[in-house]
Amino acid sequence: MSGFRPLSSGLRELRPEAFGADPSGERLARIRRSPHFKDGVFQNPGETATIRPSGSAKSIAKVYLDKESRPRRAPQGPVPVHPTTLADIARPPATGLRLTWMGHSSVLAEIDGRRVLFDPVWGERCSPFPFAGPKRLHPVPLPLAALGPVDVVVISHDHYDHLDMPTIKALAGTDTLFAIPLGVGAHLERWGVPAERLRELDWHEETKVGGLTLTATPARHFCGRGLRNTQHTLWASWAVAGPEHRIYHSGDTGYFEGFKDIGAAHGPFDATMIQIGAYSEFWPDIHMTPEEGLRAHLDLQGGTPRGVMMPIHWGTFNLAPHPWAEPGEGTVAAARAVGARIALPHPGQPFEPTAETLPADPWWRGVAQAPVGGWVDADTPTPLPADDTVSDVQGKHSTGTDEPETVQAG
């Protein structure tokens, strides 16, 4: 791909506001100086990742239109949302760390006296248009205005299910800071966020907010909001370290060996928030299956099942052909295989990862069609045998290949 060419002024006027803005000026110059920017685009870590669906349009359509699997791709009744109230999150967490999953990848993290809001999406659709695109499968647990003050909003990348223009515009009227990957600031400035409230980072760069250190860490994904995908905005995962606690948010990513390096540099973590939904055999390089997500969690923790993993990027929007409940079920099975602790909160349910008990109810089963083989045994994860290492246990449950597993639709 050749160099970036800005839109003409006429075309720019016709461009929907939700498309955001292209980087320019010093921001574009900084992008071009990035060690992760080459041949006119940002590059993924490791081997080249295929960011476009690998199958033909006909084969993809066949999977999506399959009459037997379609009913499993959505809940069969209202998703049970925890009735979060301001009182739930106004009281400081007893342990100093509390997470509230608002659905999909949106998480309010209260850590060491500060409040961090990851990938806030309060809109009804993850789309540039209010009348089309994937629609919410459950309501937001709490109105954005009732969330209370937030110290910093963290954005992983500029896709619509992670960067929502109406939500950003609402937050622009507050005094919160925004920690964002390189290039994403162009979108936020167009939507009314002052430049002085942006902390725009390349991978491995950090910023400090109220005693927290936020580091943009690598991820294996891509970017883009408009008709052209210029690859001029970066995607990232995030490590957040406070005086007492450490947490990690994966954003969107395929599995890659770099999780080990992130864990060594910034972990171990009290809690990881890991993408385990919207995967497909058609795009295996850019999203993780539950098994890959659990493997990433272990890598981030130095190879041992310490800390707590919370699955994210599922349950709220239908973005892939797999059954709606499959990411939750797959996470339960993967965690049991290695004795890892996982948290399974209802959307909107606050919990403290370092507390003795965690939300463990497979709540989705009440509104989903059971899989052909039945539900996974969801008892407390089995502890590791004394003479087994995690790698030993992984080997006993592996498919015999280091390649990402493909997931058959339906």
Side-chain angles (χ1 to χ4, degrees):
M1 178 175 177
S2 59
F4 170 61
R5 291 179 295 179
L7 293 174
S8 67
S9 58
L11 288 175
R12 194 179 298 114
E13 291 299 321
L14 295 174
R15 176 177 179 155
E17 187 181 15
F19 280 10
D22 293 324
S24 60
E26 176 52 32
R27 176 175 283 119
L28 181 57
R30 187 180 169 205
I31 287 169
R32 288 171 170 162
R33 292 195 299 268
S34 169
H36 310 110
F37 191 79
K38 182 181 178 183
D39 298 329
V41 296
F42 277 111
Q43 304 290 323
N44 269 302
E47 299 177 0
T48 301
T50 301
I51 64 173
R52 291 284 179 261
S54 59
S56 66
K58 182 178 180 181
S59 61
I60 295 174
K62 183 178 179 181
V63 169
Y64 271 94
L65 296 176
D66 180 71
K67 291 183 179 180
E68 291 187 8
S69 62
R70 284 176 65 186
R72 299 184 184 277
R73 294 205 294 269
Q76 304 302 296
V79 174
V81 175
H82 180 82
T84 311
T85 66
L86 181 58
D88 288 331
I89 53 180
R91 182 176 59 256
T95 61
L97 176 63
R98 180 167 59 207
L99 302 181
T100 306
W101 180 47
M102 298 295 178
H104 202 58
S105 295
S106 303
V107 182
L108 174 66
E110 298 165 274
I111 173 172
D112 297 342
R114 299 295 176 180
R115 306 176 94 228
V116 182
L117 185 59
F118 291 96
D119 283 356
V121 174
W122 259 250
E124 280 300 304
R125 295 182 185 272
C126 47
S127 165
F129 309 108
F131 53 84
K135 191 175 181 179
R136 280 187 168 274
L137 300 174
H138 65 78
V140 291
L142 186 72
L144 188 63
L147 200 60
V150 173
D151 293 287
V152 58
V153 173
V154 177
I155 302 297
S156 64
H157 64 296
D158 69 359
H159 285 159
Y160 289 94
D161 57 323
H162 297 260
L163 181 61
D164 178 56
M165 182 186 71
T167 304
I168 297 300
K169 282 191 163 188
L171 291 166
T174 70
D175 59 359
T176 187
L177 299 174
F178 291 81
I180 53 179
L182 189 54
V184 174
H187 300 315
L188 272 61
E189 285 188 34
R190 186 180 184 197
W191 300 333
V193 180
E196 60 268 21
R197 282 169 44 201
L198 301 179
R199 307 287 180 87
E200 199 162 348
L201 307 181
D202 201 346
W203 289 341
H204 309 299
E205 292 181 343
E206 65 180 39
T207 187
K208 295 186 182 297
V209 177
L212 301 180
T213 299
L214 297 90
T215 306
T217 47
R220 190 169 170 81
H221 200 56
F222 69 111
C223 64
R225 292 180 72 84
L227 298 177
R228 302 181 309 157
N229 183 357
T230 63
Q231 295 291 87
H232 274 68
T233 60
L234 188 59
W235 48 96
S237 57
W238 289 86
V240 179
E244 301 295 333
H245 297 93
R246 293 171 179 263
I247 57 176
Y248 172 85
H249 188 284
S250 72
D252 277 3
T253 180
Y255 178 81
F256 69 114
E257 291 294 324
F259 290 117
K260 297 175 183 177
D261 297 328
I262 295 170
H266 304 286
F269 300 98
D270 296 285
T272 66
M273 297 156 272
I274 304 290
Q275 172 263 305
I276 50 81
Y279 48 84
S280 172
E281 61 184 315
F282 296 118
W283 50 85
D285 294 342
I286 56 173
H287 281 168
M288 292 190 290
T289 66
E291 295 79 10
E292 290 168 333
L294 201 284
R295 190 193 315 170
H297 168 75
L298 296 176
D299 287 351
L300 291 161
Q301 304 291 45
T304 61
R306 68 180 78 185
V308 172
M309 171 186 162
M310 180 174 73
I312 61 171
H313 202 263
W314 76 289
T316 303
F317 299 105
N318 188 347
L319 302 177
H322 60 65
W324 174 73
E326 189 174 271
E329 287 297 304
T331 301
V332 170
R336 280 189 57 79
V338 297
R341 297 186 78 208
I342 57 173
L344 303 172
H346 291 64
Q349 181 182 3
F351 74 97
E352 302 192 25
T354 58
E356 185 175 345
T357 59
L358 298 171
D361 173 40
W363 52 265
W364 55 87
R365 295 181 180 178
V367 291
Q369 285 193 25
V372 175
W375 300 114
V376 175
D377 181 1
D379 291 339
T380 303
T382 305
L384 285 173
D387 58 349
D388 270 338
T389 64
V390 168
S391 59
D392 291 335
V393 177
Q394 284 178 317
K396 295 174 184 177
H397 296 272
S398 71
T399 58
T401 174
D402 291 331
E403 294 300 314
E405 297 179 27
T406 57
V407 179
Q408 297 300 320

